């Protein structure tokens, strides 16, 4: 499934009941959607190069060697196809403290980020950071990971939460121990953001 278009309506996940993509930490369907964001870009990249089979790893090596020349989704997908020589995990996805993975994870942020037409300025950076955190949560506080996961659906439709909205979502998560309640509270923040967006568009 392609990532949502800018301005698209949020959809409910048939598996977890939350907004699609937002339940990636515990929901297999949402996790597959988040992975699909990078896989879709990688498939298009392979097609543009006319590459397949054994050549895919060679191309992934080339991309990782020059991340600043490629879209962030292509870089993330390339890293997924390479194994870390130190820990044996996917490069950049190994445990915190694996120097090779930590280095590769840092270099991924040199990749190109282009805001989509109609998206709020800075939206693509927010999308890629949240996707990165959800797919590699090692070393990041659980509350932070959960907040980024739950806010991802809003980012994917082109919105960019204010600092106040993001802080409110994090505060609500910290103040509640039930995951279901946390998700419900953050959804209220999201609904407020959408209502505000509709009000701005109508004025």
């Amino acid at each position: 499934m392609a990532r949502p278009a800018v301005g698209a309506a949020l959809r409910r996940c048939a598996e977890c009941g939350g907004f699609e993509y937002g339940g990636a930490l515990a929901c297999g369907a949402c996790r597959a959607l988040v992975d699909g964001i990078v896989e879709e870009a990688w498939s298009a990249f392979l097609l543009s190069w006319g590459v397949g089979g054994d050549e895919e790893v060679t191309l992934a090596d080339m991309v990782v060697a020059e991340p600043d020349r490629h879209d962030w989704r292509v870089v993330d997908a390339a890293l997924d196809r390479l194994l870390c020589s130190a820990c044996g995990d996917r490069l950049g996805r190994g445990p915190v403290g694996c120097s090779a993975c930590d280095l590769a994870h840092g270099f991924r942020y040199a990749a190109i980020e282009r805001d989509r037409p109609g998206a709020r300025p800075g939206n693509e950076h927010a999308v890629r950071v949240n996707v990165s955190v959800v797919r590699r949560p090692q070393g990041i506080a659980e509350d932070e990971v959960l907040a980024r996961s739950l806010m991802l659906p809003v980012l994917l439709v082109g919105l960019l939460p204010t600092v106040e909205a993001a802080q409110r979502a994090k505060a609500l998560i910290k103040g509640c121990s039930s995951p279901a309640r946390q998700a419900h509270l953050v959804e209220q923040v999201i609904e407020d953001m959408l209502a505000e967006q509709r009000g701005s568009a109508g004025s």
Side-chain angles (χ1 to χ4, degrees):
M1 175 183 170
R3 65 191 286 190
V6 172
L10 298 185
R11 295 170 39 154
R12 292 285 177 181
C13 172
E15 184 172 320
C16 69
F19 292 127
E20 284 185 335
Y21 297 87
L25 299 179
C27 171
C30 286
R31 189 162 47 250
L33 287 172
V34 173
D35 286 339
I37 293 170
V38 297
E39 289 303 315
E40 180 184 43
W42 181 253
S43 295
F45 185 70
L46 289 181
L47 191 61
S48 71
W49 278 76
V51 166
D54 296 338
E55 297 174 304
E56 191 172 347
V57 172
T58 302
L59 186 61
D61 266 322
M62 182 200 77
V63 168
V64 170
E66 45 186 24
D68 57 320
R69 297 185 62 183
H70 303 283
D71 182 87
W72 69 269
R73 296 164 298 164
V74 171
V75 173
D76 280 14
L79 286 167
D80 284 347
R81 282 154 176 80
L82 302 175
L83 292 180
C84 174
S85 59
C87 72
D89 206 332
R90 286 180 285 178
L91 187 59
R93 302 274 293 267
V96 173
C98 172
S99 58
C101 280
D102 288 347
L103 186 63
H105 180 61
F107 279 140
R108 82 169 70 231
Y109 287 98
I112 296 168
E113 303 168 353
R114 289 192 183 93
D115 284 321
R116 294 167 291 165
R120 294 282 177 90
N123 171 267
E124 193 67 12
H125 176 71
V127 169
R128 74 85 43 88
V129 170
N130 284 35
V131 168
S132 175
V133 167
V134 169
R135 297 181 83 228
R136 189 196 191 251
Q138 298 94 313
I140 301 172
E142 287 183 16
D143 290 344
E144 175 79 10
V145 177
L146 180 59
R148 289 191 177 277
S149 176
L150 292 171
M151 293 300 281
L152 186 55
V154 175
L155 298 173
L156 287 170
V157 297
L159 299 180
L160 190 63
T162 62
V163 173
E164 293 77 14
Q167 288 176 341
R168 183 177 168 218
K170 289 178 187 177
L172 288 170
I173 286 173
K174 281 193 172 185
C176 178
S177 59
S178 162
R181 179 68 177 152
Q182 288 171 328
H184 176 71
L185 291 171
V186 172
E187 281 196 9
Q188 288 182 327
V189 175
I190 291 172
E191 294 289 359
D192 290 345
M193 285 176 53
L194 294 174
E196 183 180 338
Q197 174 74 7
R198 287 190 293 268
S200 306
S203 60

